Amino acid sequence: MAQAGMFADCTQADVDAWSVEHANSNRINVRAFLHWSARTRLTRRFELPAALSPGNAPMPDRQCTALLGQVLADHTTPLRSRVAAVILLLYAQPLSRITQFTIDDVVRDGDGVLLRLGDPPSPAPEPGATLLLEYLGQRTNMATATNRESRWLFPGRRAGQPLRSDTLSALVHALGVPATAGRAAAIRQHVLDLPAPIIATALGYHQVTTARLATEAGTTWPNYAPGDRSK
């Protein structure tokens, strides 16, 4: 977390990074402190992502894949909810970060579509790419005069503000997607498929976090180091 002299510059990304690197026992005090700092206007409003517990452990990979396929194929549910769920299940992004994406984070690259999560941007596979492009032209909460120029990927009802993460969480939950368990399953699969440093850079995670998750998942990339091309 930011040091005292820099606390006013603390961002939601800093809070997200801290939350995944510290024990659950620290969260109660930190949550209360974050609420206090927002009330006293020392900082903006932050949200502490839910921690994993035995009750919301990562879902099996097969279930996660099936759920992703269901979301992609179900054209009867709101497009906004489906796009948020796809980003969560494909890229293991916390909802608090998903709400901060802008339309500039969706990059068209020739015939492909990229999502700017880290460096370099991550490719969006079909049919997710088509879903993203379709959603760009149908974003909700754009009707008011003050919101028509909004660049938030998920505009909120208040002018100039993104959708609240608790609102987005409810929309995703309505699709049958357990946000915490789904994200945990997605990041677990990523660190099994590729070295932890690559996943950290590509998806915007802290390298300490992906290294720990890789160890817990029993990764087969134990000796990989950034810049190593021999693997």
Side-chain angles (χ1 to χ4, degrees):
M1 193 88 67
Q3 296 179 355
M6 302 171 59
F7 190 63
D9 298 323
C10 185
T11 67
Q12 181 66 54
D14 294 322
V15 175
D16 291 344
W18 182 93
S19 70
V20 295
E21 294 163 22
H22 291 76
N24 292 351
S25 58
N26 293 328
R27 289 168 172 264
I28 296 177
N29 291 335
V30 170
R31 192 182 301 277
F33 177 72
L34 291 178
H35 287 321
W36 171 82
S37 67
R39 285 198 310 270
T40 56
R41 299 188 177 182
L42 289 176
T43 66
R44 50 162 287 191
R45 182 178 179 274
F46 293 120
E47 297 182 29
L48 194 61
L52 282 178
S53 67
N56 57 11
M59 67 176 68
D61 295 338
R62 183 176 298 179
Q63 181 182 349
C64 185
T65 301
L67 193 55
L68 176 60
Q70 175 183 316
V71 170
L72 287 168
D74 188 359
H75 298 282
T76 65
T77 52
L79 189 57
R80 175 177 61 176
S81 305
R82 293 169 63 205
V83 168
V86 167
I87 294 175
L88 185 151
L89 293 171
L90 264 183
Y91 304 106
Q93 296 297 298
L95 292 171
S96 57
R97 188 182 183 204
I98 293 175
T99 61
Q100 299 301 307
F101 291 151
T102 70
I103 57 175
D104 300 311
D105 292 318
V106 180
V107 182
R108 302 193 191 202
D109 182 28
D111 294 332
V113 176
L114 307 174
L115 190 58
R116 188 179 287 114
L117 308 170
D119 184 23
S122 297
E126 291 291 358
T130 297
L131 195 72
L132 270 171
L133 294 181
E134 181 182 355
Y135 172 68
L136 287 181
Q138 301 182 36
R139 287 179 296 154
T140 53
N141 295 330
M142 297 287 290
T144 62
T146 54
N147 236 22
R148 288 175 184 166
E149 302 301 320
S150 174
R151 303 198 70 78
W152 294 114
L153 187 58
F154 297 96
R157 291 184 178 180
R158 296 181 60 183
Q161 297 297 315
L163 197 67
R164 289 169 52 99
S165 60
D166 55 352
T167 301
L168 196 59
S169 177
L171 294 174
V172 168
H173 182 74
L175 298 182
V177 177
T180 303
R183 179 166 66 93
I187 191 61
R188 180 181 184 277
Q189 189 57 53
H190 281 304
V191 297
L192 284 172
D193 290 342
L194 289 169
I198 290 180
I199 296 303
T201 301
L203 300 185
Y205 274 73
H206 195 289
Q207 289 197 16
V208 172
T209 302
T210 54
R212 175 176 58 79
L213 293 171
T215 299
E216 293 174 356
T219 179
T220 57
W221 303 91
N223 299 318
Y224 178 88
D228 187 351
R229 297 292 184 268
S230 63
K231 302 297 181 186

